[in-house]
Amino acid sequence: MGRLGVDLYPLRAGVGLDRVETFGRFLGGSPANVAVAAARLGRSTALVSRTGADPFGTYLRRELRGYGVDARWVTEVADQPTPITFCEIFPPDHFPIHFYRRPKAPDLEIHARELDLPALWAARAFWMTGTGLSAEPSRTATLTALRARAEGGEAPEGGGRTVQDDQDRERFTVFDLDWRPALWDDGDTPADQARPLYREALRHATVAVGNADECAVATGEHEPYAAARALLATGVRLAVVKLGPKGVLALAADGTRAEVPPLPVDVVNGLGAGDAFGGALVHGLLAGWDLERTLRYANAAGAIVAGRLACSAAMPSGDEIARALAAGSGSIPALTGQGPVEPPTASTSRAPLEPIPDPAPRDDLREDPREAPEPPRGPAPEITRNPARRR
């Protein structure tokens, strides 16, 4: 549930937006990417969000369905445009991101009265983010959804879950701490003002996921183990702290702990790695895997996406994750027939990336095949969509 928009990513690396002329268009927004990531791993997923009543909104709903994500709860807002996000690509660790969500993003216009609470309650896993708490009416809607999950909710008509179902099949309510102060009401909300809202959301969650800075917003603790313990003290059953180049650690309420190192990768674009991690984390939790196995699997998914240009289009399959784990590296070639979703790059973890030439225009990426092709700019790497996606 939450953020949804269009990602416009430059097809040149190592240069600022003022010099980029060609962009790739992708479905974006962290919760949407997580839904796509889980769908790529075979899970049945849906998204609760909103878009503008415009062509970009139509594009996003079509993309969601193409990736296998149920878009029935993605509705239109008549007077607000679909958000657009640009990024700059300076591997291995600098990816400035520019959000265009003013005056207000449609995904912050989710109303509690419009929620399908029986469906939210029935889901085995529910994923929400800190950005959903940033403004009304999304704030109230997000907390309403969390309370419905925690308090049992009304079963769907004609079937659905029973108390015995809940005892037999563990359910997960995941709070992605997702701290982006620029997206809050005034664009400059301090962490101590957001903390009470985070604490309220954590009361109803069973899993908390965030990096060290996000955990500090939620708990006031920045040291990873102290932050994880503080998250458990709020009542969640599992606290996952992402440590970037140091890997990830997790503490569970039953005393289980795991800390795993990162999977090496030559970074192309690190922005989608956390969403790939999230989709794979939920997959492992639903599969009932032990904590270390789940974290290693999620780490591998994140590493694969960090080695590719896009976010949603780059989400790996289970076979790709297995190959990455076997190889000990996230820098793996795409599966036969899948095609690359990123331009080939130099080893960005060891040396500055040279600018990548703009790709020549391609007929299959234009919305209108009757449009006359532009003059090609010269030889360049081919950027393709993910054929695993269903049209």
Side-chain angles (χ1 to χ4, degrees):
M1 175 175 173
R3 202 162 69 246
L4 173 65
V6 175
D7 286 346
L8 293 176
Y9 285 0
L11 300 184
R12 296 186 69 189
V15 297
L17 285 179
D18 60 313
R19 294 180 56 201
V20 176
E21 296 182 358
T22 308
F23 297 84
R25 181 184 65 171
F26 306 99
L27 177 146
S30 181
N33 287 335
V34 171
V36 171
R40 284 285 285 147
L41 297 173
R43 296 294 172 181
S44 175
T45 67
L47 181 67
V48 179
S49 190
R50 306 195 76 180
T51 71
D54 52 34
F56 276 149
T58 301
Y59 161 77
L60 290 172
R61 284 185 291 278
R62 185 176 70 239
E63 291 291 285
L64 285 167
R65 290 190 292 266
Y67 285 120
V69 178
D70 190 332
R72 78 180 81 173
W73 294 290
V74 178
T75 58
E76 293 182 341
V77 177
D79 56 353
Q80 292 166 355
T82 299
I84 297 174
T85 301
F86 291 88
C87 78
E88 297 173 279
I89 300 177
F90 294 95
D93 58 6
H94 186 52
F95 307 99
I97 190 166
H98 306 270
F99 294 101
Y100 290 79
R101 292 169 58 86
R102 300 293 181 187
K104 189 177 185 181
D107 54 58
L108 294 176
E109 287 292 338
I110 300 172
H111 292 263
R113 65 178 182 272
E114 297 170 348
L115 294 175
D116 187 340
L117 294 180
L120 289 170
W121 178 78
R124 290 190 62 202
F126 174 62
W127 182 284
M128 48 73 63
T129 78
T131 302
L133 302 173
S134 66
E136 293 290 2
S138 172
R139 180 181 300 151
T140 295
T142 300
L143 293 173
T144 297
L146 287 170
R147 294 186 188 111
R149 296 276 299 174
E151 295 169 3
E154 179 185 351
E157 294 182 5
R161 307 184 63 79
T162 66
V163 173
Q164 186 62 46
D165 288 332
D166 270 357
Q167 294 173 347
D168 293 343
R169 302 173 70 200
E170 190 168 10
R171 301 163 73 236
F172 301 93
T173 301
V174 186
F175 182 5
D176 176 0
L177 302 178
D178 183 42
W179 173 240
R180 297 185 183 273
L183 302 186
W184 283 62
D185 281 328
D186 58 6
D188 191 28
T189 299
D192 59 354
Q193 291 184 20
R195 188 167 297 134
L197 292 169
Y198 272 55
R199 292 289 182 89
E200 174 64 18
L202 285 166
R203 289 182 56 239
H204 307 291
T206 63
V207 181
V209 183
N211 60 34
D213 291 338
E214 292 167 337
C215 291
V217 172
T219 67
E221 299 284 354
H222 199 277
E223 193 281 323
Y225 274 97
R229 289 190 290 268
L231 287 169
L232 290 179
T234 68
V236 300
R237 299 200 303 269
L238 177 64
V240 180
V241 183
K242 297 182 287 187
L243 305 176
K246 296 182 179 179
V248 61
L249 71 86
L251 299 181
D254 65 3
T256 304
R257 66 174 60 197
E259 185 169 359
V260 302
L263 201 65
V265 62
D266 289 338
V267 176
V268 173
N269 182 359
L271 291 178
D275 300 335
F277 178 96
L281 173 72
V282 170
H283 178 70
L285 292 174
L286 291 175
W289 295 345
D290 65 69
L291 190 54
E292 181 172 343
R293 178 184 178 186
T294 298
L295 294 183
R296 290 188 183 279
Y297 192 86
N299 255 1
I304 291 170
V305 173
R308 297 175 174 178
L309 171 68
C311 296
S312 55
M315 295 302 171
S317 66
D319 287 343
E320 288 177 295
I321 296 175
R323 289 171 58 222
L325 288 169
S329 171
S331 299
I332 60 169
L335 290 173
T336 302
Q338 180 171 310
V341 292
E342 78 288 339
T345 71
S347 178
T348 56
S349 61
R350 293 184 292 276
L353 184 69
E354 293 297 321
I356 300 170
D358 289 331
R362 295 186 55 223
D363 290 340
D364 62 320
L365 295 187
R366 282 195 296 272
E367 291 302 313
D368 187 349
R370 297 168 296 179
E371 181 183 341
E374 299 175 0
R377 298 181 181 274
E382 184 180 41
I383 314 297
T384 64
R385 295 185 186 274
N386 187 342
R389 184 187 155 285
R390 297 195 299 272
R391 285 288 183 189

